[in-house]
Amino acid sequence: MEKNSLSIKTIVAIGIGAAVFVILGRFASIPTGIPNTTIETSYAFLALMATIFGPIAGGLIGLIGHALKDAVFYGAIWWSWVIVSAFVGLFIGLFAKRLNVESGIAGSRQIVTFNIVQAAVQAVGWFLLAPILDVAIYAEPANKVYLQGIVAGLSNIVTVGVIGTILYVYYAKTRSQSDSLAKE
Amino acid sequence: MAVEMLSYIERESPVHRLSGVTKLVIFMMWSTAAMLTYDTRVLLFLFAASIAIFIVSKVKLRDIAFVLIFILIFLLLNNIAIYIFSPQEGVNIYGTSHVLFDIAGRYNVTIEQLFYQFNITLKYFVVIPAALLFIVTTHPSEFAASLNRMGVNYKIAYSVSLALRYIPDIQRDFRMIAQSQQARGIDLSRNEKLVKRVKNAAAIIMPLIFSSLERIETISNAMELRGFGKKKKRTWYSTKAFRHADYLTLFIGLAILVVSLYITFHDGDRFYNPFC
Amino acid sequence: MKKPIIQFNQFTFKYRSQVEPTLKNINLSVYEGEKILIVGPSGSGKSTLAHCINGLVPFSYKGELEGSLRIKEQETKELDIFTVSKVVGTVLQDPDGQFIGLSVGEDIAFALENDGVLQPDMTKQVMDVSRLVDMESKLDASLHELSGGQKQKVSLAGVMVDHVDILLFDEPLANLDPATGKHAISLIDQIKKETNTTVLIIEHRLEDVLHGTVDRVIVMDEGQIVSDSTPDDLLASPVLESAHIREPLYIKAMKYAGCKVTPAMQPAHLNTLQIDSWRKHLVQWFEAVKQPEDDTKKDAVVLELDQISFRYEKGKNTIDQLSFLVSKGEMISIVGKNGAGKSTLSKLICGFEKVHCGTIRLHGKDITGDSIRQRAERIGMVMQNPNHMISKHMIYDEVALGLVKRGFKQEEIKSRVDTTLRICGLYPYRNWPISALSFGQKKRVTIASVLALNPDILILDEPTAGQDLRHYTEIMDFLLELNRQGVTILLITHDMHLMLEYTPRAIVIADGKIIADKSAVEVLTDQTVIQSANLKETSLFGLAKRIGIEQPAQFVTRFITHDREVRKTWQ
Ligand SMILES: Nc1ncnc2c1ncn2[C@@H]1O[C@H](COP(=O)(O)OP(=O)(O)OP(=O)(O)O)[C@@H](O)[C@H]1O
Ligand SMILES: Nc1ncnc2c1ncn2[C@@H]1O[C@H](COP(=O)(O)OP(=O)(O)OP(=O)(O)O)[C@@H](O)[C@H]1O
Ligand SMILES: [Mg+2]
Ligand SMILES: [Mg+2]
């Protein structure tokens, strides 16, 4: 029965993950000093969750988390960027699953792969998908939305590169190996 | 730091009495219509209609004042940005140029640009009341049930419910962790250097994230122990039965959607052009 | 002939990450309709045993199983967790993790929803069950509006609605005030009688559970069952003492007085206890123990709260015009019912929340406007929920964190951390990740991390909840030692005996106001205060009355003096 449907753990991970995404997005974004550019720690978290729980969880955390954040704090949902969040979660999950972070190994090979994946996925998401959707849905001027997409994309790639990598390594460390704990 | 957020407001009104499914479907049709159309006549009609529903719902302006102010500021900034980036967007779209006055270079003010930006703003004014109303008149537990009824897999619907259930808890945790870290000597004030600020933020988000991961474990254990996911279907304690008003509302909503799309697209252009 | 419903046979379990098995050679049979209490030191494997019964081991926690465990004649290894969950209903140890629904009604209905029960039926069943636990008026309330005791009732209703055969409670009393705890125990008793369910309770508060009827008590130590007997037999034996589990106070007093407790005396309840033959003995002992001299000398005031008020949301004040003075070197208990505002008060003192009006002074200086960090230089605080404080992965790093931030030298840090880890009984685990600890062990990590900083004033929010007697004694004795060296200590607690034993002065809070501020003994002899703050006399008062002592309070103080002398020899 568990095989063809989602496991309970994934469901809970989506729910709690979305809630954490909302709170990080609202309270833990750090202003950089450059106008309109903040360090969105929530994307580092999204990348971690996608890596641990896979593409479906990643995509849904992005989708539900971002839509809820917009809805409860700002009263309006900016669908184009919500879709990008879902895209980022989905595809990081798809590619990073093979890193097998549960094994507890986080060597340079894993870290490099993780970062190539996140940078490539986010580049497509923010540099291409976001502006295209902005124009299609909201008919905003193209040069404005491309610039917005590039700024957001660069800052998110760097954020995930730094904070996401720290989270990744730290998480791998918490996966204690079999037969490793004994009183001293 | 007590940040207000939108949540269900208990009132006795026809809108509150509608089933969550109805409201969700209407909300989605409404957003679709508003997203696709740039036809000023349709937008104006939808705007008037949403104001009317707002009044019927007995939600007071002051209940949601804090987001409204935020939205207005956002719209103002967005309008300025659009003008700065693309002062001729309206001229391109409508194909004519009625200059009111010049500022400098390509920056002039045309009726077309004003009209284009008026339309963009109007679109927000159509979507926003609908979204706000949906959030404040639908009880969160009914929301998940509605998603499920509309065909969303019940497990995914339940994860939305979990998210809504845990947002306040996680917000509280976030505060407590921030406080206990400050007590250990981590400064969170804004006047620190960027690198330091990132480090400090990490000191808070790490425990938040890792305690949340543990929480996932506990909650999935608790849910498992109480039999979640053992059947293909599940029922919901808090759904509302469909009544006549629901069918009627859905019918009217569908009619509005069809008519507005027809008006928008029958001449092959999303924009209503009063200039030719 | 009674039928066994749970049967452990040579059962051994090892968590995947552990080297040693956590449960060793467990042999245990539980019969239908029995009520069993499981006690044992923190980390002895009680929760793990419970997880084996409800199926979380091995379905959720992975590890190696040996031997057999049969529930209702079926080998659990061969079942799946859903089948087990139809038979066993569990109320977990973690206080926040198990409330799943958005409202009370929804949470109670959760199991029914999963079973696909139709809405009209479901509404009726939820109503019936909620009436049983007296929550029918709160069905629409959300979690945040409930007090600790009410949450417990909802958890109970949520498992009962499924008509399970076995109810399993993991420390149901840990965060409840004394009166609510007593109520919870009678509620469990009542439900057991009405439905003839088999009940297993894991609890450190032995005496409180014995307040109801218990058929058998299982004592665990280091992953093994060291005793399995009726309460009367157990209390007459030395098992509890050697496993360092707190005996009921009246039993302890009788043993100190040299009375020989036998099963025939029915020692499980104070009111059934046959005491007549020993009355003279006890009175003689009472007269022989010396009264402690009163050494409460008043020093300079360190902390002063002046008319402070605070509220979380518009409406009622959570803390309402509250004032008190604390002198240097005092050790004070803050007590009161669930939701009275004790934790809030401690957060106001540390600056976690800002007072809306009133002033807070430290050493005469107004600190109302100071930041959390400035106050933290002088005031250390251990929060109620350990998960809110832990930020590092390894135990050692967590305890060292504050010292590192304050820029201490490496060797200094190491020696201080090692000392505090020893005091808190965590030294053997210093290189473990925190995630592999039991609940009580985690709580001790947070206490250690604050103790390491040597603050002037120390506030501890329920430091002994979920601790066993040995760790309780170690932590409290260390606090007492700090106190002798001049550290001022405020303790928030629901443990009446702790209040009597360690803190000369007690502040009682109800609805955000102080309703009493006097000596601990006086508080517990004032019936109106006891009533309005949900407190409870300890059984020592009852014992003193039964043997006809005029001033029960003196009996209590003399007991404490004697007890402390005896426990000193443990170290
Ligand atoms: N998930 C886990 N992984 C590895 N080891 C664990 C895990 N959970 C518990 N343990 C270990 O098993 C031992 C017993 O833990 P358990 O939670 O059963 O204790 P307990 O008797 O319930 O203690 P307490 O009274 O503090 O709750 C502990 O020493 C702990 O380190
Ligand atoms: N962050 C918060 N936001 C809103 N209300 C809160 C918050 N924290 C506590 N409360 C409410 O304030 C009241 C006092 O809570 P507090 O935690 O101080 O009680 P307490 O005396 O410590 O209770 P307990 O003995 O159960 O720990 C309660 O009614 C509680 O629901
Ligand atoms: Mg336990
Ligand atoms: Mg408290």
Side-chain angles (χ1 to χ4, degrees):
Chain A
M1 191 164 52
E2 283 290 309
K3 243 174 254 154
N4 47 12
S5 60
L6 293 163
S7 76
I8 295 184
K9 197 128 178 218
T10 315
I11 300 300
V12 179
I14 295 168
I16 303 295
V20 174
F21 187 93
V22 169
I23 296 304
L24 290 180
R26 180 65 184 77
F27 298 107
S29 35
I30 313 160
T32 52
I34 308 166
N36 267 331
T37 319
T38 49
I39 296 178
E40 295 288 343
T41 52
S42 47
Y43 286 96
F45 171 69
L46 180 61
L48 176 73
M49 293 299 276
T51 313
I52 303 173
F53 294 101
I56 298 177
L60 286 170
I61 291 172
L63 180 76
I64 298 170
H66 198 152
L68 281 181
K69 181 189 80 172
D70 280 5
V72 302
F73 288 112
Y74 310 125
I77 301 174
W78 190 273
W79 284 109
S80 48
W81 286 38
V82 170
I83 293 170
V84 176
S85 292
F87 171 89
V88 167
L90 177 71
F91 280 91
I92 291 184
L94 206 58
F95 293 119
K97 196 70 195 289
R98 67 183 59 176
L99 287 173
N100 192 12
V101 65
E102 294 296 323
S103 68
I105 304 165
S108 49
R109 202 182 65 81
Q110 280 82 359
I111 291 171
V112 171
T113 320
F114 173 76
N115 275 296
I116 291 174
V117 167
Q118 67 92 357
V121 171
Q122 292 208 78
V124 175
W126 298 111
F127 301 161
L128 286 177
L129 193 58
I132 290 172
L133 289 170
D134 272 340
V135 173
I137 299 178
Y138 298 101
E140 298 225 332
N143 52 358
K144 168 180 177 261
V145 294
Y146 274 99
L147 186 72
Q148 277 178 337
I150 287 171
V151 172
L154 286 177
S155 104
N156 285 339
I157 290 173
V158 174
T159 307
V160 179
V162 178
I163 300 182
T165 306
I166 297 177
L167 289 176
Y168 181 93
V169 173
Y170 197 91
Y171 179 79
K173 259 204 307 196
T174 64
R175 305 289 88 192
S176 35
Q177 318 268 306
S178 303
D179 304 321
S180 62
L181 301 177
K183 295 186 199 175
E184 293 169 40
Chain B
M1 202 169 129
V3 176
E4 286 191 87
M5 58 171 128
L6 283 180
S7 55
Y8 178 67
I9 300 174
E10 178 106 45
R11 292 273 149 77
E12 190 48 45
S13 88
V15 181
H16 284 76
R17 275 196 296 275
L18 285 178
S19 132
V21 178
T22 312
K23 279 180 275 193
L24 189 57
V25 173
I26 292 285
F27 168 62
M28 285 175 18
M29 292 201 293
W30 202 271
S31 317
T32 318
M35 246 189 258
L36 292 177
T37 187
Y38 265 85
D39 195 304
T40 320
R41 295 160 302 181
V42 174
L43 285 174
L44 280 174
F45 168 76
L46 290 177
F47 179 58
S50 53
I51 297 294
I53 303 172
F54 207 93
I55 294 168
V56 172
S57 76
K58 296 197 184 147
V59 174
K60 307 237 164 46
L61 215 48
R62 109 177 94 78
D63 295 330
I64 51 168
F66 66 99
V67 275
L68 279 187
I69 292 171
F70 179 88
I71 291 168
L72 290 178
I73 294 174
F74 167 80
L75 283 181
L76 183 68
L77 291 177
N78 198 43
N79 266 310
I80 294 173
I82 290 176
Y83 182 76
I84 291 174
F85 277 95
S86 197
Q88 299 301 329
E89 192 79 12
V91 174
N92 291 339
I93 290 172
Y94 298 108
T96 54
S97 174
H98 297 81
V99 180
L100 286 179
F101 54 88
D102 281 305
I103 300 175
R106 60 194 191 102
Y107 288 96
N108 60 7
V109 177
T110 59
I111 301 185
E112 283 79 4
Q113 182 72 13
L114 288 181
F115 189 66
Y116 161 71
Q117 296 206 331
F118 168 72
N119 274 299
I120 287 205
T121 312
L122 194 55
K123 257 170 95 111
Y124 284 104
F125 275 103
V126 172
V127 180
I128 288 164
L132 287 177
L133 265 184
F134 178 70
I135 297 165
V136 300
T137 64
T138 312
H139 194 278
S141 20
E142 223 212 313
F143 179 56
S146 310
L147 282 176
N148 181 215
R149 273 239 206 133
M150 285 178 50
V152 175
N153 175 313
Y154 81 78
K155 293 183 172 179
I156 291 174
Y158 207 83
S159 65
V160 176
S161 167
L162 280 176
L164 289 167
R165 151 79 180 81
Y166 279 99
I167 286 173
D169 278 34
I170 299 212
Q171 186 176 356
R172 211 180 271 198
D173 280 6
F174 181 82
R175 294 194 61 190
M176 299 242 198
I177 292 167
Q179 289 161 345
S180 82
Q181 294 304 334
Q182 282 177 68
R184 307 257 198 105
I186 290 166
D187 195 356
L188 291 174
S189 62
R190 302 217 150 227
N191 39 28
E192 292 271 10
K193 288 219 182 59
L194 183 61
V195 178
K196 196 79 187 289
R197 241 187 282 162
V198 174
K199 267 198 186 154
N200 292 343
I204 296 168
I205 70 169
M206 300 280 272
L208 183 74
I209 289 171
F210 288 94
S211 72
S212 303
L213 286 173
E214 250 172 63
R215 188 170 240 171
I216 292 174
E217 197 118 327
T218 336
I219 297 168
S220 39
N221 284 343
M223 284 173 58
E224 197 139 24
L225 287 178
R226 288 163 74 184
F228 182 82
K230 70 173 154 191
K231 296 212 167 148
K232 287 257 177 324
K233 274 200 183 127
R234 95 195 276 275
T235 47
W236 302 81
Y237 176 70
S238 43
T239 48
K240 279 192 190 138
F242 252 58
R243 298 174 318 140
H244 289 305
D246 290 289
Y247 291 109
L248 189 66
T249 315
L250 283 177
F251 178 75
I252 297 174
L254 191 65
I256 292 178
L257 177 70
V258 171
V259 172
S260 60
L261 290 187
Y262 176 75
I263 296 177
T264 309
F265 287 107
H266 81 286
D267 56 358
D269 190 357
R270 287 162 78 190
F271 292 89
Y272 165 67
N273 192 341
F275 300 103
C276 58
Chain C
M1 177 63 202
K2 285 192 296 181
K3 270 203 310 202
I5 190 162
I6 303 172
Q7 273 179 303
F8 284 93
N9 201 338
Q10 287 295 319
F11 185 89
T12 297
F13 174 74
K14 178 177 95 58
Y15 283 102
R16 194 181 56 91
S17 58
Q18 299 275 359
V19 177
E20 294 288 319
T22 298
L23 295 178
K24 292 166 221 156
N25 294 324
I26 302 285
N27 287 307
L28 173 67
S29 299
V30 177
Y31 298 93
E32 250 170 23
E34 267 193 309
K35 183 171 167 201
I36 306 246
L37 168 64
I38 301 173
V39 295
S42 169
S44 60
K46 305 182 296 298
S47 298
T48 309
L49 187 77
H51 290 161
C52 294
I53 298 173
N54 64 30
L56 286 179
V57 169
F59 299 112
S60 177
Y61 294 107
K62 301 290 174 209
E64 287 157 37
L65 275 176
E66 275 167 46
S68 112
L69 165 58
R70 298 165 76 80
I71 291 181
K72 281 190 121 180
E73 317 268 274
Q74 280 180 299
E75 193 62 42
T76 52
K77 279 179 284 199
E78 287 149 20
L79 301 175
D80 61 71
I81 194 157
F82 297 134
T83 320
V84 179
S85 79
K86 277 271 131 203
V87 182
V88 186
T90 314
V91 179
L92 292 168
Q93 183 169 12
D94 189 302
D96 0 88
Q98 53 193 314
F99 199 106
I100 301 162
L102 281 155
S103 67
V104 170
E106 232 189 305
D107 192 70
I108 297 177
F110 188 73
L112 301 176
E113 292 181 324
N114 296 330
D115 244 349
V117 177
L118 293 178
Q119 203 184 19
D121 266 357
M122 181 146 56
T123 319
K124 189 178 164 301
Q125 290 190 38
V126 168
M127 200 60 202
D128 289 348
V129 173
S130 63
R131 212 169 281 138
L132 201 58
V133 296
D134 198 18
M135 286 292 287
E136 74 267 26
S137 60
K138 288 255 177 199
L139 284 179
D140 291 328
S142 77
L143 170 71
H144 313 290
E145 298 162 37
L146 302 182
S147 75
Q150 289 170 330
K151 278 186 213 167
Q152 213 83 40
K153 288 185 188 177
V154 177
S155 316
L156 190 58
V159 293
M160 278 172 38
V161 79
D162 219 7
H163 302 295
V164 288
D165 299 311
I166 304 169
L167 279 174
L168 195 57
F169 298 91
D170 199 348
E171 297 196 26
L173 304 182
N175 288 298
L176 297 187
D177 64 51
T180 312
K182 200 166 148 185
H183 185 80
I185 288 298
S186 16
L187 190 66
I188 294 173
D189 258 12
Q190 180 201 338
I191 287 158
K192 187 187 140 10
K193 284 207 191 84
E194 282 173 23
T195 57
N196 196 36
T197 333
T198 310
V199 175
L200 280 87
I201 303 176
I202 295 170
E203 190 45 72
H204 286 290
R205 282 157 69 174
L206 172 72
E207 185 174 344
D208 290 338
V209 182
L210 288 182
H211 172 76
T213 47
V214 170
D215 296 314
R216 270 192 296 154
V217 185
I218 312 289
V219 183
M220 290 195 66
D221 200 3
E222 307 257 339
Q224 280 168 317
I225 291 180
V226 294
S227 156
D228 173 355
S229 60
T230 65
D232 286 337
D233 285 336
L234 177 72
L235 293 180
S237 77
V239 172
L240 288 175
E241 200 180 344
S242 56
H244 295 316
I245 294 164
R246 163 157 284 157
E247 294 171 90
L249 291 166
Y250 58 92
I251 299 288
K252 196 86 217 173
M254 292 184 58
K255 288 188 177 169
Y256 283 154
C259 313
K260 205 170 145 20
V261 181
T262 59
M265 289 162 70
Q266 300 187 318
H269 297 274
L270 178 58
N271 26 14
T272 57
L273 178 68
Q274 313 280 305
I275 203 170
D276 296 337
S277 51
W278 294 103
R279 180 167 287 142
K280 238 197 232 125
H281 235 82
L282 276 159
V283 176
Q284 272 169 11
W285 174 77
F286 166 67
E287 279 156 4
V289 177
K290 57 183 182 306
Q291 178 77 4
E293 65 265 36
D294 198 13
D295 60 350
T296 45
K297 50 179 190 314
K298 285 276 185 245
D299 257 319
V301 172
V302 275
L303 181 70
E304 183 181 357
L305 306 193
D306 189 3
Q307 295 279 326
I308 59 167
S309 293
F310 172 81
R311 59 175 172 267
Y312 287 103
E313 277 132 24
K314 287 199 188 71
K316 211 169 131 273
N317 275 350
T318 308
I319 294 292
D320 194 14
Q321 304 207 344
L322 186 145
S323 315
F324 63 86
L325 297 179
V326 178
S327 305
K328 184 167 163 47
E330 272 196 293
M331 191 144 164
I332 303 179
S333 283
I334 298 177
V335 294
K337 66 168 107 164
N338 288 123
K342 304 179 297 296
S343 300
T344 308
L345 179 65
S346 66
K347 287 184 204 159
L348 288 170
I349 297 175
C350 299
F352 288 9
E353 304 286 354
K354 295 272 178 262
V355 293
H356 291 164
C357 51
T359 28
I360 302 177
R361 280 182 278 270
L362 187 65
H363 296 295
K365 204 173 120 271
D366 187 347
I367 58 160
T368 320
D370 285 8
S371 70
I372 297 178
R373 205 174 114 175
Q374 283 166 315
R375 295 190 204 191
E377 305 272 317
R378 319 295 280 279
I379 307 173
M381 151 116 155
V382 180
M383 300 210 264
Q384 189 167 2
N385 183 344
N387 293 334
H388 289 148
M389 294 186 64
I390 292 170
S391 66
K392 291 281 176 190
H393 176 46
M394 307 303 288
I395 294 173
Y396 182 92
D397 297 341
E398 176 65 29
V399 179
L401 179 68
L403 296 170
V404 174
K405 284 282 165 206
R406 281 182 191 158
F408 282 94
K409 278 208 214 61
Q410 202 64 41
E411 310 92 71
E412 168 80 8
I413 293 178
K414 180 148 176 29
S415 82
R416 275 217 219 171
V417 171
D418 285 354
T419 323
T420 32
L421 282 178
R422 277 205 185 86
I423 289 156
C424 296
L426 291 167
Y427 191 73
Y429 309 94
R430 65 195 174 284
N431 293 323
W432 283 29
I434 292 169
S435 53
L437 295 183
S438 81
F439 191 79
Q441 290 169 327
K442 262 191 212 168
K443 181 92 194 183
R444 271 182 274 141
V445 171
T446 63
I447 296 177
S449 69
V450 172
L451 287 184
L453 296 176
N454 278 341
D456 288 356
I457 300 180
L458 195 52
I459 305 176
L460 299 108
D461 201 345
E462 303 192 16
T464 57
Q467 300 296 340
D468 57 46
L469 186 62
R470 200 172 94 227
H471 293 114
Y472 167 104
T473 310
E474 276 167 11
I475 292 169
M476 290 311 299
D477 283 349
F478 180 70
L479 290 178
L480 207 60
E481 185 51 43
L482 282 181
N483 182 245
R484 291 213 182 89
Q485 292 166 13
V487 180
T488 311
I489 295 176
L490 299 179
L491 286 168
I492 296 172
T493 184
H494 288 304
D495 184 338
M496 295 297 108
H497 190 65
L498 181 150
M499 166 175 96
L500 288 168
E501 185 175 2
Y502 289 95
T503 62
R505 177 178 163 200
I507 295 176
V508 186
I509 297 186
D511 294 325
K513 291 194 181 71
I514 292 184
I515 58 166
D517 179 353
K518 46 192 177 185
S519 86
V521 177
E522 281 168 331
V523 165
L524 282 194
T525 44
D526 184 337
Q527 282 304 325
T528 44
V529 171
I530 289 183
Q531 283 285 324
S532 46
N534 267 5
L535 307 179
K536 203 180 78 179
E537 282 181 346
T538 65
S539 57
L540 288 175
F541 285 89
L543 180 68
K545 279 182 207 149
R546 279 203 62 190
I547 56 175
I549 287 171
E550 295 283 307
Q551 300 105 348
Q554 278 206 10
F555 184 81
V556 177
T557 43
R558 291 189 196 184
F559 171 86
I560 289 168
T561 331
H562 186 91
D563 185 47
R564 200 173 279 162
E565 287 304 316
V566 175
R567 273 193 288 157
K568 262 203 192 115
T569 57
W570 285 9
Q571 277 124 30

